[in-house]
C-alpha cells in the first residue's frame, strides 16, 4: 500500500540534486573563483606552520588575538630561550578559537610550552559577540587543513547560520558578483589558487604594525577624557573560563606546560585595573597555571613609546614595545625553575642554529656561526680604547649576507658589552663608526670606506648591545679601525 | 521527511503521525521562544473544548456562550499582547488633555510571532461549528496539530478548519508529482525571498531610515521597491508554506494571485492575502450584512472590515489609516475612476485600470512601511520634490552598489513580465515544475545556485526576517 519504491526514488533524486549543488560549490571553492584577496598574514601563519613543522619542531606556541602577534617577537623569543617559538594567534579571536587552534597545531607539532595571551579572554567574550574580526576567524578556519578537527570544531566556533560561510569561500564571498566582478574574472582565469610566497624566509607568525608610539596630542586625550577601559567592565565569560580549563586538560593529556601572559596597555588606558586582574586571577589561579601580568609592570606601562598611538579600546604595542615584552618573556621563561625544558639552541642543535643564525636577536644570545654560508667576514674581539673612559669591548663584528631577498645587502653587526659613555647617555646616545677596506668588484682597487652603525634597541639584551647597519653587496676586506661618537 | 514518509504516514499510524507533526511544530515555534508555546497550547485547548461544547449542545444560549468563550479568549490574547499598549497610548493622548496619564500601565511584553495568524485560524473553527459549517473533531492531537501546523504557523495562509483539519484525519498517499512540485515551490519561494525581496529591503530600509535624502526619483524607487518587497516577501513565505505542506501531502489555500496586476481595489483584495480577505469577508462582512438593515450599510460595513484589516496588521495608526484608505478606494475609487475606464476599448482600458490601481496602491503602502506618520508624510512629499540637484549628494540608488541597483530593476521587470505571462496563459505556471525530470531538476539546480550565489545574505548583510512575522 505504501509506495516505498516511489518514496525511495524521490529521496534518491533529492540526494542527487543536493550532491550536484554541493559539487558545484566545491568546484567553485577549489578554483578560488570567490577568493576575496590574496593570502594575508592569517593564512600565511598557518601555511608557515605546516611548512615549518615538516622539518622543525615548535617548542613554544603563543596563542591569542592581535595582541599576541603584535606584542611578541617569536624570533627574538626563540633566540633568547633557545626554543623555537611560533605565534599562532588571530585577530579578535576568542579562547574557544585558541583551543581549536591548539588542537590542530598539536597535530603537527609537540610544543613544550604554550603561552596564552589573555586579552582575548576578557575583552571578547564569545562567538555570539558581533565582531568585526569574524572575517579573520573565517580566514584562519579556511587555512586549517585537518578536516576532522575542522568538522569537530565547527559547532563550537560558529553559529549554525555561519556554517556555510565557514566552510565555503563561495558562500562567504558571493557578494563579489556585485562588488568586485573584476576580481572574479581574474580568479577564473588564474586557475587554481596558490598561496603567495612570504617575503620573509622564516615566518614565525609575528605581524608588526605600529612603528611609532603615543604622541603628545593623544596623551592629552587621556587627560581630557580619562581612561578608555574600566576593570569593572571587563570580566572573563563563562565560555572563556571553560576553554581555559580545556586547554589545561589538553596540556596534562599531551604533556606540555601552559602559562598565561597579559601584554600591557598604556597605564592611563585602564582604570580600576585591579578589578581586571582579579577577574583574570579568578580564572587562572584555580588552574594552577603560571601567569605573567605585564600590565602590572610599571617600567612598561608608563612609557608612551611602547604603545600604539590610539586611545581606542584595542591598543596594541609598538615594535619597540614588543621587543621589551619579549625580553621580559625571555627572562621569565629562562628563570622559571619549575620548567625543565629541552632547549635545542642551548643544546647546540646544529640545525636549530642554522635556522636562526641570521634571524633577529640571535646574535644577542649566541656567537655568530663560523661556518654559516651567509658570513662574509667575522672579527672576534675588538677593543676600542678611549681617553679617560673604559675601553669598549666589542665581542664580535660580523658582516652577514642579509635575508632581504628583494635587494641583496650585507648586514653589519657589532656586539658590544655594556659600558659607560662620556655623556653618560645610554647606548642609544652613541653610534659606532667603522672604517674598512673595500675592494671594487670591477677594477679590483682597494678603497677605504666608513660605515655608521646605530644601536638596535629591539634586539639588544641586557648583556649585549647590538649596533647594526646595512651596506650594499660589496666586498669587505679588512677592518682598519672603529670609534664611538655621540648621536 | 524520510521518517514521515517511510514510517509515520501509514494508515494505521495517523495519530502517531499527527503527534510527530505537533512535536515538530512546537519545536519549530519553541525555537524562537518556548514560553509562548503555552499561548498556542491554551488557544488550542480552549477552542477544542469550546468547539466540542458548541457542537454537542442544542441549547442556543449555551452554544452562543461557548462561542463567546472562544472569541473572548482568542481576541483577549491578541488584545493583551498586540493591542494593549496601542490602546493605552491612544487613551493617554486623550487623557493628556485632562492632565492625567495611564502610561504606568504599559506592558513590556514582546509580541509572540504569528499570534494574529493562529488566533484567527482557531477562531474560524469555533465560528464554523457554531454556524453549522462543520462538526467538531474528537481527536485532540489532530486539532492541536492543525492549530500549530508549522509550515503556516507564523505567517499563514490562515487556513479554515473545515479545509485543513480533515486532512489531519486522513492518510496521505505518496504523490511524487505533488511532492516534487512542493519542493520546487519551496525553492522558488526561497529564491524570491533571498535574491529579490531581501535585496530590495536594503534600499527600502535605507530610504525609510533617511527620508530627508529622498527626492522624486529615489522616493519613487523606494515606494515601488517596497511594494514589490512586501509582495515578494509575503508571497514567498506563502509559497514556502504551501510547498512544505504539499511535500507532506497537505494542501494549503492559495494566498496570492498576481495582485500587482489588479485592475481595481476590489480585484486587488481578491488577489492579495486571500486567506485574510476571505476570513474577514466570511466572519465579519457577511455577519454585518446579515444584521437587520445591514444591506443598506454597505459602505459602513466595508469601512469596518478595512479598519479591522488595518488593525490586524499592526497596532499603529499608520496601519489603521492604510486599512481605511483601502476601504475608501474600494468604495469610491473603483466607482469613480475605474468604472468610467471600462468604457475605453481593451487592452488600453485594462492597462489604464491596472496602472491607476497600482499607483494608488503603491502610495497607500507608504503608510504600511513608515514607522510613524511623520516619516510617511516625508516620503510622500518627497515624491513631488523634483529638485534633482540633490541627487549629486545622494544618488538615486542611495547606498546600493551600482550593479546591485541595476540588477534589482532587472529582477523586478523579469518577475513582473513573468506574472503578466502567467496571467495571460495560466498553464505556464505548471511549465517549469512539470514535464520531463531533467528540465525540472535543471530549473531547481539553477534556482538553488542563484540563491547561493546571488542571494542577499552573509557577512555585513543584516538578516531580513519575513515582513509578516511581525504580525
Amino acid at each position: 500500500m505504501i509506495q516505498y519504491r516511489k518514496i525511495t526514488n524521490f529521496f534518491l533524486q533529492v540526494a542527487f540534486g543536493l550532491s550536484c549543488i554541493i559539487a558545484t560549490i566545491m568546484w567553485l571553492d577549489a578554483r578560488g573563483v570567490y577568493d576575496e584577496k590574496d593570502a594575508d598574514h592569517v593564512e600565511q601563519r598557518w601555511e608557515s606552520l605546516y611548512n615549518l613543522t615538516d622539518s622543525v619542531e615548535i617548542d613554544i606556541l603563543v596563542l591569542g588575538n592581535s595582541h599576541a602577534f603584535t606584542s611578541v617577537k617569536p624570533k627574538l623569543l626563540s633566540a633568547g630561550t633557545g626554543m623555537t617559538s611560533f605565534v599562532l594567534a588571530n585577530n579578535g579571536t576568542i579562547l574557544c578559537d585558541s583551543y581549536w587552534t591548539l588542537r590542530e597545531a598539536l597535530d603537527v607539532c609537540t610544543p613544550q610550552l604554550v603561552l596564552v595571551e589573555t586579552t582575548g579572554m576578557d575583552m571578547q567574550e564569545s562567538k555570539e559577540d558581533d565582531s568585526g574580526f569574524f572575517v579573520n576567524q573565517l580566514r584562519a578556519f579556511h587555512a586549517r587543513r585537518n578536516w576532522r578537527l575542522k568538522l569537530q570544531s565547527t559547532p563550537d566556533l560558529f553559529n549554525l547560520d555561519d556554517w556555510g560561510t565557514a566552510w565555503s569561500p563561495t558562500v562567504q564571498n558571493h557578494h563579489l558578483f556585485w562588488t568586485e566582478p573584476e576580481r572574479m574574472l581574474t580568479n577564473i582565469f588564474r586557475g587554481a589558487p596558490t598561496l603567495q610566497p612570504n617575503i620573509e624566509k622564516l615566518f614565525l607568525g609575528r605581524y608588526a604594525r605600529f612603528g611609532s608610539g603615543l604622541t603628545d596630542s593623544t596623551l592629552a586625550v587621556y587627560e581630557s577624557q580619562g581612561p578608555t577601559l574600566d576593570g569593572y567592565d571587563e570580566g572573563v565569560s563563562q565560555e572563556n573560563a571553560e576553554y581555559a580549563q580545556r586547554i589545561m586538560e589538553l596540556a596534562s593529556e599531551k604533556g606540555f606546560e601552559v602559562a598565561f601572559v597579559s601584554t600591557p596597555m598604556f597605564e592611563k588606558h585602564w582604570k580600576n585595573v585591579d578589578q581586571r586582574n582579579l577577574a583574570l586571577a579568578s580564572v587562572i589561579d584555580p588552574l594552577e597555571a603560571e601567569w605573567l601580568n605585564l600590565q602590572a609592570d610599571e617600567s612598561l606601562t608608563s612609557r608612551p613609546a611602547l604603545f600604539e598611538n590610539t586611545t581606542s579600546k584595542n591598543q596594541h604595542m609598538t615594535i619597540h614595545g614588543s621587543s621589551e615584552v619579549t625580553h621580559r618573556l625571555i627572562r621569565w621563561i629562562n628563570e622559571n625553575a619549575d620548567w625543565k625544558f629541552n632547549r635545542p639552541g642551548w643544546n647546540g642543535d646544529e640545525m636549530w642554529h642554522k635556522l636562526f643564525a641570521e634571524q633577529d636577536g640571535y646574535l644577542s644570545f649566541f656567537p655568530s656561526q663560523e661556518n654559516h654560508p651567509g658570513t662574509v667576514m667575522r672579527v672576534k674581539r675588538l677593543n676600542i680604547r678611549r681617553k679617560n673612559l673604559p675601553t669598549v669591548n666589542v665581542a664580535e663584528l660580523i658582516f652577514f649576507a642579509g635575508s632581504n631577498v628583494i635587494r641583496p645587502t650585507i648586514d653589519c653587526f657589532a656586539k658590544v658589552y655594556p659600558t659607560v659613555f662620556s655623556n653618560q647617555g645610554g647606548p642609544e646616545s652613541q653610534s659606532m663608526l667603522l672604517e674598512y677596506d673595500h675592494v671594487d668588484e670591477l677594477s679590483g682597487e682597494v678603497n677605504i670606506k666608513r660605515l655608521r652603525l646605530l644601536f638596535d634597541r629591539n634586539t639588544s639584551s641586557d648583556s649585549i648591545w647590538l649596533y647594526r647597519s646595512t651596506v650594499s653587496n660589496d666586498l669587505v676586506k679588512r677592518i682598519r679601525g672603529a670609534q664611538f661618537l655621540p648621536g | 521527511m524520510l521518517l514521515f514518509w517511510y514510517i509515520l504516514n501509514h494508515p494505521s499510524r495517523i495519530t502517531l503521525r499527527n503527534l510527530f507533526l505537533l512535536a515538530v511544530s512546537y519545536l519549530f515555534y519553541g525555537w524562537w521562544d518556548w514560553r509562548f508555546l503555552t499561548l498556542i497550547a491554551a488557544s488550542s485547548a480552549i477552542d477544542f473544548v469550546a468547539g466540542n461544547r458548541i457542537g454537542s449542545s442544542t441549547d442556543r444560549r449555551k452554544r452562543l456562550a461557548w462561542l463567546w468563550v472562544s472569541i473572548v479568549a482568542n481576541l483577549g490574547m491578541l488584545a493583551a499582547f498586540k493591542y494593549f499598549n496601542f490602546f493605552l497610548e491612544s487613551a493617554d493622548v486623550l487623557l493628556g488633555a485632562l492632565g492625567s496619564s495611564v502610561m504606568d500601565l504599559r506592558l513590556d511584553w514582546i509580541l509572540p510571532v504569528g499570534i494574529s495568524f493562529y488566533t484567527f485560524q482557531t477562531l474560524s473553527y469555533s465560528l464554523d461549528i457554531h454556524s453549522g459549517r462543520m462538526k467538531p473533531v474528537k481527536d485532540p492531537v489532530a486539532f492541536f496539530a492543525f492549530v500549530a501546523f508549522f509550515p503556516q504557523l507564523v505567517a499563514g495562509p490562515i487556513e479554515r478548519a473545515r479545509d485543513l483539519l480533515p486532512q489531519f484525519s486522513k492518510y496521505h498517499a505518496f504523490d511524487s508529482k505533488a511532492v516534487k512540485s512542493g519542493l520546487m515551490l519551496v525553492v522558488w519561494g526561497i529564491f524570491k525571498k533571498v535574491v529579490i525581496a531581501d535585496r530590495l529591503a536594503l534600499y527600502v530600509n535605507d530610504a525609510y531610515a533617511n527620508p530627508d535624502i529622498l527626492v522624486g526619483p529615489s522616493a519613487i524607487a523606494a515606494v515601488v521597491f517596497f511594494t514589490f518587497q512586501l509582495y515578494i516577501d509575503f508571497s514567498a513565505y506563502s509559497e514556502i508554506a504551501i510547498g512544505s505542506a504539499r511535500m507532506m501531502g497537505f494542501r494549503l489555500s492559495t494566498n496570492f494571485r498576481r495582485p500587482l496586476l489588479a485592475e481595481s481595489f476590489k480585484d486587488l483584495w481578491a488577489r492579495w492575502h486571500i486567506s485574510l480577505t476571505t476570513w474577514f469577508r466570511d466572519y465579519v462582512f457577511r455577519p454585518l450584512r446579515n444584521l437587520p438593515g445591514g444591506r443598506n450599510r454597505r459602505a459602513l460595513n466595508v469601512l469596518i472590515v478595512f479598519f479591522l484589516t488595518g488593525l490586524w496588521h499592526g497596532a499603529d495608526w499608520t496601519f489603521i489609516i492604510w486599512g481605511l484608505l483601502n476601504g475608501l478606494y474600494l468604495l469610491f475609487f473603483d466607482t469613480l475612476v475605474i468604472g468610467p475606464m471600462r468604457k475605453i476599448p481593451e487592452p488600453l482600458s485594462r492597462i489604464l485600470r491596472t496602472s491607476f490601481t497600482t499607483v494608488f496602491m503603491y502610495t497607500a503602502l507608504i503608510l504600511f512601511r513608515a514607522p510613524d506618520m511623520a516619516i510617511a508624510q516625508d516620503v510622500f512629499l518627497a515624491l513631488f520634490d523634483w529638485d534633482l540637484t540633490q541627487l549629486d549628494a545622494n544618488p538615486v540608488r542611495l547606498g546600493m552598489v551600482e550593479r546591485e541597483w541595476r540588477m534589482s530593476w532587472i529582477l523586478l521587470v523579469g518577475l513582473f513580465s513573468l506574472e503578466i505571462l502567467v496571467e495571460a496563459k495560466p498553464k505556464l505556471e505548471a511549465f517549469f515544475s512539470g514535464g520531463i525530470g531533467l528540465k525540472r531538476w535543471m530549473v531547481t539546480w539553477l534556482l538553488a545556485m542563484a540563491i547561493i550565489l546571488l542571494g542577499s545574505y552573509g557577512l555585513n548583510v543584516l538578516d531580513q526576517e519575513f515582513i509578516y512575522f511581525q504580525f
Side-chain angles (χ1 to χ4, degrees):
Chain A
M1 186 165 178
I2 294 178
Q3 298 149 305
Y4 287 115
R5 205 169 156 182
K6 271 189 174 179
I7 296 170
T8 308
N9 193 19
F10 168 74
F11 282 109
L12 284 175
Q13 286 184 46
V14 170
F16 176 72
L18 280 174
S19 310
C20 289
I21 293 164
I22 292 167
T24 311
I25 304 235
M26 285 174 73
W27 180 79
L28 289 168
D29 284 349
R31 293 281 302 177
V33 174
Y34 283 87
D35 281 1
E36 198 174 22
K37 58 177 182 176
D38 298 328
D40 70 356
H41 67 98
V42 178
E43 281 134 327
Q44 294 282 7
R45 201 167 279 123
W46 279 99
E47 185 72 9
S48 183
L49 180 82
Y50 291 124
N51 292 342
L52 197 66
T53 49
D54 285 344
S55 53
V56 178
E57 186 54 89
I58 303 296
D59 305 309
I60 299 177
L61 196 64
V62 184
L63 303 174
N65 60 14
S66 56
H67 292 269
F69 65 67
T70 52
S71 302
V72 180
K73 298 177 86 172
K75 289 176 182 172
L76 186 58
L77 187 62
S78 303
T81 57
M83 301 166 79
T84 310
S85 309
F86 198 97
V87 181
L88 197 57
N90 191 18
N91 308 58
T93 199
I94 48 176
L95 215 53
C96 168
D97 198 20
S98 297
Y99 169 78
W100 285 105
T101 295
L102 176 60
R103 287 276 305 265
E104 180 138 353
L106 291 176
D107 217 33
V108 291
C109 63
T110 51
Q112 301 176 63
L113 173 65
V114 170
L115 298 176
V116 181
E117 205 286 323
T118 62
T119 321
M121 281 171 69
D122 60 349
M123 291 181 65
Q124 192 176 344
E125 300 198 338
S126 76
K127 67 182 173 188
E128 307 295 336
D129 293 356
D130 183 20
S131 166
F133 298 116
F134 187 54
V135 172
N136 294 85
Q137 310 270 12
L138 293 170
R139 293 176 82 84
F141 188 76
H142 290 154
R144 285 168 48 192
R145 292 181 187 171
N146 188 320
W147 281 63
R148 185 178 51 81
L149 284 173
K150 280 178 77 170
L151 267 175
Q152 276 182 314
S153 62
T154 301
D156 275 6
L157 291 173
F158 303 105
N159 294 322
L160 186 61
D161 293 358
D162 298 318
W163 288 11
T165 307
W167 276 90
S168 165
T170 302
V171 174
Q172 183 193 331
N173 301 323
H174 70 281
H175 59 86
L176 286 184
F177 181 81
W178 310 105
T179 54
E180 273 187 273
E182 309 81 16
R183 173 164 282 279
M184 284 181 66
L185 280 176
T186 311
N187 290 345
I188 288 166
F189 290 112
R190 77 171 175 186
T194 50
L195 203 61
Q196 297 294 309
N198 198 311
I199 198 76
E200 286 188 71
K201 281 179 185 168
L202 181 64
F203 181 58
L204 298 177
R206 170 164 171 71
Y207 185 59
R209 288 190 292 181
F210 307 106
S212 55
L214 286 159
T215 60
D216 289 344
S217 59
T218 312
L219 291 169
V221 176
Y222 284 121
E223 300 305 325
S224 59
Q225 292 180 6
T228 307
L229 297 168
D230 188 336
Y232 279 107
D233 297 337
E234 310 294 338
V236 181
S237 69
Q238 185 61 33
E239 182 187 308
N240 279 342
E242 278 169 22
Y243 277 97
Q245 174 68 38
R246 289 178 73 173
I247 288 173
M248 294 306 294
E249 287 165 7
L250 205 56
S252 63
E253 184 191 327
K254 301 279 183 184
F256 57 83
E257 300 283 352
V258 174
F260 293 83
V261 177
S262 299
T263 58
M265 292 180 186
F266 186 54
E267 59 186 5
K268 290 182 179 171
H269 208 70
W270 279 98
K271 73 174 173 188
N272 302 314
V273 73
D274 291 346
Q275 291 304 314
R276 187 225 186 185
N277 294 339
L278 281 174
L280 284 171
S282 70
V283 174
I284 297 170
D285 288 351
L287 301 174
E288 295 179 355
E290 297 278 351
W291 177 26
L292 178 64
N293 183 5
L294 293 173
Q295 189 62 52
D297 186 339
E298 280 180 29
S299 68
L300 289 174
T301 59
S302 60
R303 292 157 65 189
L306 306 191
F307 302 98
E308 178 193 353
N309 186 28
T310 179
T311 58
S312 68
K313 187 177 172 180
N314 212 15
Q315 186 188 58
H316 297 90
M317 301 204 83
T318 57
I319 294 168
H320 181 192
S322 63
S323 300
E324 296 278 348
V325 162
T326 309
H327 278 298
R328 277 161 180 74
L329 272 175
I330 291 166
R331 271 203 299 274
W332 187 56
I333 294 169
N334 289 346
E335 289 167 8
N336 194 318
D338 294 338
W339 291 335
K340 308 281 185 223
F341 294 130
N342 172 36
R343 300 171 194 255
W346 292 2
N347 297 346
D349 184 318
E350 202 176 316
M351 196 175 154
W352 189 92
H353 285 285
K354 206 178 256 180
L355 188 70
F356 285 99
E358 56 185 273
Q359 302 302 332
D360 281 351
Y362 179 83
L363 292 173
S364 303
F365 298 93
F366 297 98
S368 65
Q369 293 288 295
E370 200 170 354
N371 302 323
H372 192 280
T375 307
V376 175
M377 195 173 81
R378 183 166 174 256
V379 177
K380 270 195 157 186
R381 296 201 71 83
L382 183 73
N383 297 330
I384 306 171
R385 296 182 195 285
R386 298 176 296 171
K387 271 185 195 170
N388 307 324
L389 278 170
T391 300
V392 177
N393 296 314
V394 179
E396 268 191 297
L397 186 66
I398 310 121
F399 285 83
F400 207 89
S403 56
N404 190 332
V405 293
I406 296 173
R407 192 171 58 88
T409 54
I410 290 179
D411 291 327
C412 177
F413 299 92
K415 292 172 67 176
V416 177
Y417 291 116
T419 184
V420 176
F421 289 113
S422 56
N423 60 0
Q424 298 296 309
E428 283 170 290
S429 67
Q430 303 282 314
S431 60
M432 182 178 169
L433 191 66
L434 197 68
E435 203 171 80
Y436 64 96
D437 285 348
H438 159 259
V439 183
D440 188 278
E441 206 172 358
L442 291 174
S443 63
E445 279 181 29
V446 177
N447 305 312
I448 298 170
K449 277 203 168 185
R450 285 182 168 182
L451 180 64
R452 202 178 180 95
L453 282 73
L454 301 175
F455 178 67
D456 179 4
R457 64 185 173 190
N458 292 322
T459 52
S460 295
S461 67
D462 294 342
S463 53
I464 285 288
W465 291 348
L466 216 82
Y467 286 79
R468 66 189 292 178
S469 186
T470 305
V471 291
S472 56
N473 197 4
D474 57 4
L475 299 173
V476 181
K477 185 81 176 169
R478 183 174 68 94
I479 302 299
R480 297 177 72 93
Q483 61 175 314
F484 274 90
L485 300 169
Chain B
M1 282 290 285
L2 273 169
L3 189 69
F4 180 87
W5 281 114
Y6 271 111
I7 298 164
L8 298 167
N9 187 55
H10 190 276
S12 64
R13 292 192 281 266
I14 287 175
T15 304
L16 187 66
R17 180 199 69 189
N18 290 342
L19 212 52
F20 170 76
L21 288 175
L22 179 64
V24 170
S25 300
Y26 275 23
L27 185 73
F28 171 74
Y29 195 76
W31 204 270
W32 166 70
D33 193 330
W34 61 269
R35 292 170 303 170
F36 291 116
L37 283 174
T38 52
L39 281 184
I40 301 185
S43 176
S44 308
I46 290 166
D47 283 288
F48 181 73
V49 174
N52 273 292
R53 294 299 170 94
I54 296 167
S56 61
S57 175
T58 50
D59 183 341
R60 198 174 155 274
R61 287 179 63 182
K62 265 191 182 172
R63 286 165 58 85
L64 195 62
W66 277 106
L67 178 63
W68 276 107
V69 168
S70 168
I71 291 172
V72 169
N74 283 299
L75 296 186
M77 259 181 350
L78 203 54
F81 281 94
K82 189 166 177 175
Y83 300 109
F84 184 79
N85 286 343
F86 169 65
F87 290 135
L88 201 71
E89 282 159 18
S90 303
D92 195 68
V93 173
L94 292 175
L95 290 170
L98 303 171
S100 61
S101 172
V102 286
M103 290 309 283
D104 290 345
L105 301 173
R106 240 185 103 84
L107 299 175
D108 287 328
W109 292 353
I110 51 170
L111 180 66
V113 168
I115 190 169
S116 309
F117 290 91
Y118 68 75
T119 48
F120 269 42
Q121 188 156 305
T122 50
L123 208 47
S124 78
Y125 171 72
S126 313
L127 289 164
D128 279 356
I129 294 172
H130 185 262
S131 63
R133 288 194 194 105
M134 72 176 292
K135 295 208 177 312
V137 286
K138 301 291 176 196
D139 178 2
V141 176
F143 183 76
F144 275 60
F146 149 75
V147 176
F149 191 41
F150 72 90
Q152 42 87 245
L153 173 61
V154 291
I158 303 166
E159 289 298 328
R160 302 304 170 74
R162 61 177 182 271
D163 295 332
L164 183 58
L165 196 45
Q167 296 183 48
F168 282 88
S169 312
K170 284 182 194 161
Y171 158 73
H172 303 292
F174 183 84
D175 176 357
S176 74
K177 211 170 163 186
V179 175
K180 283 172 188 171
S181 75
L183 177 63
M184 188 86 171
L185 206 55
V186 170
V187 178
W188 174 242
I190 297 171
F191 170 81
K192 279 169 63 178
K193 164 74 179 158
V194 179
V195 178
I196 311 178
D198 287 355
R199 178 148 288 112
L200 299 180
L202 302 175
Y203 187 90
V204 174
N205 292 348
D206 198 4
Y208 277 84
N210 308 289
D212 48 318
I213 63 170
L214 297 178
V215 285
S218 47
I220 289 173
V223 171
V224 171
F225 275 18
F226 177 64
T227 307
F228 272 88
Q229 183 205 345
L230 180 67
Y231 164 55
I232 294 166
D233 187 282
F234 193 19
S235 64
Y237 183 86
S238 296
E239 278 154 1
I240 293 167
I242 294 166
S244 313
R246 199 183 287 173
M247 288 174 74
M248 291 180 289
F250 288 85
R251 275 178 296 100
L252 299 183
S253 51
T254 304
N255 220 12
F256 289 90
R257 213 164 33 78
R258 298 174 290 285
L260 300 183
L261 300 177
E263 53 177 318
S264 66
F265 272 83
K266 190 181 172 197
D267 187 29
L268 171 69
W269 283 98
R271 292 163 175 263
W272 178 282
H273 203 173
I274 299 167
S275 62
L276 180 72
T277 314
T278 51
W279 197 99
F280 276 116
R281 182 196 67 197
D282 293 348
Y283 302 118
V284 179
F285 184 75
R286 283 180 180 161
L288 284 172
R289 193 186 58 184
N290 293 339
L291 287 172
R295 286 181 187 276
N296 303 325
R297 291 193 296 267
R298 180 177 173 265
L300 181 64
N301 295 343
V302 167
L303 288 178
I304 289 171
V305 164
F306 276 95
F307 167 79
L308 292 174
T309 303
L311 191 63
W312 179 91
H313 279 86
D316 205 305
W317 285 105
T318 49
F319 287 111
I320 293 172
I321 296 171
W322 168 76
L324 287 171
L325 204 55
N326 274 274
L328 290 170
Y329 284 159
L330 194 138
L331 289 170
F332 302 109
F333 176 84
D334 280 6
T335 317
L336 302 175
V337 181
I338 299 296
M341 283 181 188
R342 293 187 194 280
K343 292 173 186 157
I344 301 168
E346 296 288 357
L348 183 63
S349 169
R350 173 66 201 262
I351 292 168
L352 284 173
R353 292 197 310 268
T354 301
S355 305
F356 271 76
T357 306
T358 299
V359 169
F360 279 79
M361 170 196 158
Y362 284 24
T363 46
L365 282 171
I366 293 173
L367 286 160
F368 194 101
R369 175 61 181 78
D372 56 49
M373 291 299 290
I375 290 178
Q377 186 185 337
D378 287 349
V379 175
F380 185 75
L381 291 177
L383 290 169
F384 305 100
D385 177 2
W386 283 80
D387 176 12
L388 300 184
T389 54
Q390 292 182 54
L391 291 176
D392 297 338
N394 298 298
V396 67
R397 61 182 168 82
L398 303 182
M400 212 174 201
V401 178
E402 179 72 41
R403 290 185 191 91
E404 215 167 1
W405 162 255
R406 283 202 301 263
M407 184 53 87
S408 299
W409 284 104
I410 291 169
L411 286 167
L412 288 198
V413 171
L415 190 76
F416 196 62
S417 308
L418 192 67
E419 298 240 312
I420 293 172
L421 270 173
V422 175
E423 179 84 358
K425 294 187 187 301
K427 281 184 182 172
L428 268 176
E429 204 164 8
F431 174 76
F432 292 109
S433 58
I436 58 163
L438 188 63
K439 180 187 71 187
R440 194 175 49 239
W441 282 113
M442 275 305 290
V443 172
T444 313
W445 179 82
L446 281 171
L447 283 175
M449 291 314 300
I451 292 165
I452 294 164
L453 301 181
L454 305 178
S456 178
Y457 67 92
L459 300 178
N460 306 321
V461 179
L462 206 62
D463 287 344
Q464 301 287 335
E465 280 199 336
F466 284 100
I467 293 173
Y468 266 68
F469 276 12
Q470 61 183 301
F471 306 134

